[in-house]
Amino acid sequence: MTRRRWIADKWDDETATLTGSQAAHLARVLRAERGMKADVVAGGRLFHSTVDEVRQDDNGEMEVRFALLDEASAESALPITLVMAVYKFDRMEWAIEKATELGVAAIAPVIARRSEKHLAQSAAKRAERWRRIAREAAQQSRRSDVPEIHDPVVLKERMQLEMNAVRIVLAEQERATMLHETVQGAIQDHESTPAFEIAVGPEGGWAPEEAKMFEANGWKAVSLGSRILRAETAAIAALAVTASLLE
Ligand code: SAH
């Protein structure tokens, strides 16, 4: 039998229980018996489990109790790396937290021409804190994995990495190409879901020579609409749009 996912009606730390029609179906139709394996969602978390007991309660209703074995990885991360220009740390931290909630696989901080000097200099020391923020956000949103936070590098260095991903740079000057069209097109052009890199600029935006560098390295400039967004808003909006097309 393929492993179905059961959403528990009651649970504690070690067990989860199905009641009512779910239990009746599992017991009578699927002939559940002790030891049968199943995946069970208890309190929003997914567990590998085995059936521990099938019984009728005092009112003659079926009840199936599972022993929760180990937590299974729930949904895998979205195949998206957010390339984020270093800018005001408090806002970056907010973006890291929200990007994690939205399911980003990795965040790559980059030092852009318009990243403030003192922030660029202390970015490397911040990476540990960013990792902690990502870990806490991942737990809070019940992710089973924690997004990877890369060490910050200058943008040029990131551009030189070999990458097998659809490369998208958010650019407020872009008018013709919208993010969702580009993502949709990329999904249609690939047999299996491609990985995406999405770059968002610092408060001052990308410098003209950076825009050229992106273009020369195969990045497609896209718009999120005619309004200028703060970098953290642009990052979150871009992830939400992309996620909606991937899920
Ligand atoms: N300083 C610029 C705005 C920079 S906004 C100005 O005031 O004109 C910071 C970053 O957010 C940009 O580099 C871009 O990556 C992203 N961004 C903001 N609004 C956007 C939009 N409408 N479309 C695409 N990207 C946007």
Side-chain angles (χ1 to χ4, degrees), residues 170-172 199-206 222-225 227-229 231 234:
L170 301 174
E172 66 278 15
V200 58
E203 275 185 310
W206 300 112
V222 303
S223 169
L224 281 168
R227 285 161 291 272
I228 303 281
L229 309 172

Side-chain angles (χ1 to χ4, degrees), residues 16 31-32 40 73 84 95 138 150 158-159 161 172 193 195 209 211 234 244:
R31 300 178 188 287
V40 177
S73 44
M84 186 163 49
H150 294 273
R158 179 91 201 156
M159 295 282 99
L161 288 183
E172 66 278 15
T193 309
E209 68 267 27
S244 73

